[in-house]
Amino acid sequence: MVLENHTKRRLAAGETVVGCFFRYPAGTLAEFVALGGWDFLVFDAEHGSLHPRDLEDLSRACELHAVTPIVRVTTNEPSAILRFLDAGAHGLHVPWVDTGAAADAAVRAAKYQPRGSRGLAATRSARFGVPEPIGDYVRRSNAETLVVVQVETAEGVANIEDFVTVDGVDVVFIGPTDLAHSLGHVGNPSHPDVQRAMERVTDVVTGSDKALGIFVANPTEAARWRARGARYLTTGLEPLLRGSMRDYLSSVRNAGGETT
Ligand code: 3PY
Ligand code: MG
């Protein structure tokens, strides 16, 4: 159900947006998180158990609170992408995009004609065809649907110049965990090889009309990437909760005189 996509508008205006990955099939929990004040939530169907059906409730939870619902799909396949978008996501993350052609395929799967070849029906995304003619919905959806392509392999980094020329890509997003893994430094995104690869992506994307996005684990990393020009900043529910649980337990236990 794409009405006005505030996240896309703010990015187009040169602003910075802040979002959170969420991978649980629980609409009420999504509503609670949406109330936190995020610009957008990314419902993660790549990692985790989300199905297209879950996106109906998860998107609804966001729509109640003017938060943009975005989905990360498993694969760059039009049939997989279609079902998640039809359920109500207003934007799309495609993981493992390695070439300009793959970035173009992601845009074509997300957009209707003339830019793309998304299949058309009066689904939830089209508000079931009730309030407006389907042609109006198609034009609005093409204008409002956000497309994010993820660079997270050595091949993607090598081809980064091709990504930023693709019409319809809004955000080029660095996946630090998979990129470090791909470069042979699993669990160590701080390794100089990984940092060099991220610098290359950063230089090319910030010099283009696309926004740079990244996943960060904490506010310090977010501030560093923001200073480096990233405007689409994401974290995850798990890093937030891990930190809160650790801090809570350690202060409660320390107050009780325990040492661990
Ligand atoms: C990665 O770090 O690989 C990601 O995909 C972040 O979401
Ligand atoms: Mg990844």
Side-chain angles (χ1 to χ4, degrees), residues 142-216:
N142 272 0
E144 301 291 342
T145 303
L146 184 86
V147 178
V148 181
V149 293
Q150 295 195 188
V151 185
E152 44 193 349
T153 62
E155 189 185 354
V157 173
N159 291 327
I160 191 64
E161 282 85 356
D162 298 338
F163 286 51
V164 297
T165 60
V166 177
D167 173 42
V169 167
D170 298 291
V171 179
V172 179
F173 180 93
I174 299 172
T177 304
D178 278 312
L179 183 58
H181 194 187
S182 161
L183 295 175
H185 303 293
V186 63
N188 188 11
S190 308
H191 190 282
D193 292 350
V194 186
Q195 289 294 313
R196 253 192 308 278
M198 294 205 262
E199 280 302 306
R200 173 166 153 67
V201 173
T202 301
D203 287 344
V204 173
V205 178
T206 56
S208 77
D209 66 350
K210 312 302 182 196
L212 177 68
I214 189 154
F215 185 91
V216 297

Side-chain angles (χ1 to χ4, degrees), residues 6-17 40 146 148 170-171 209 211-212 231-232:
H6 302 296
T7 297
K8 187 167 162 118
R9 296 281 166 94
R10 294 192 56 193
L11 285 169
E15 296 173 26
T16 299
V17 290
F40 62 96
L146 184 86
V148 181
D170 298 291
V171 179
D209 66 350
L212 177 68
R231 294 194 292 113
Y232 181 94

Side-chain angles (χ1 to χ4, degrees), residues 49-99:
S49 61
L50 295 184
H51 287 280
R53 182 184 301 134
D54 299 314
L55 260 292
E56 297 176 353
D57 270 353
L58 297 173
S59 300
R60 224 171 345 248
C62 286
E63 288 157 4
L64 282 173
H65 303 297
V67 173
T68 307
I70 294 172
V71 66
R72 177 159 75 177
V73 295
T74 46
T75 175
N76 197 0
E77 274 297 322
S79 56
I81 290 170
L82 177 65
R83 297 188 71 211
F84 284 104
L85 291 181
D86 277 1
H90 300 191
L92 174 69
H93 263 240
V94 181
W96 296 88
V97 177
D98 286 336
T99 63

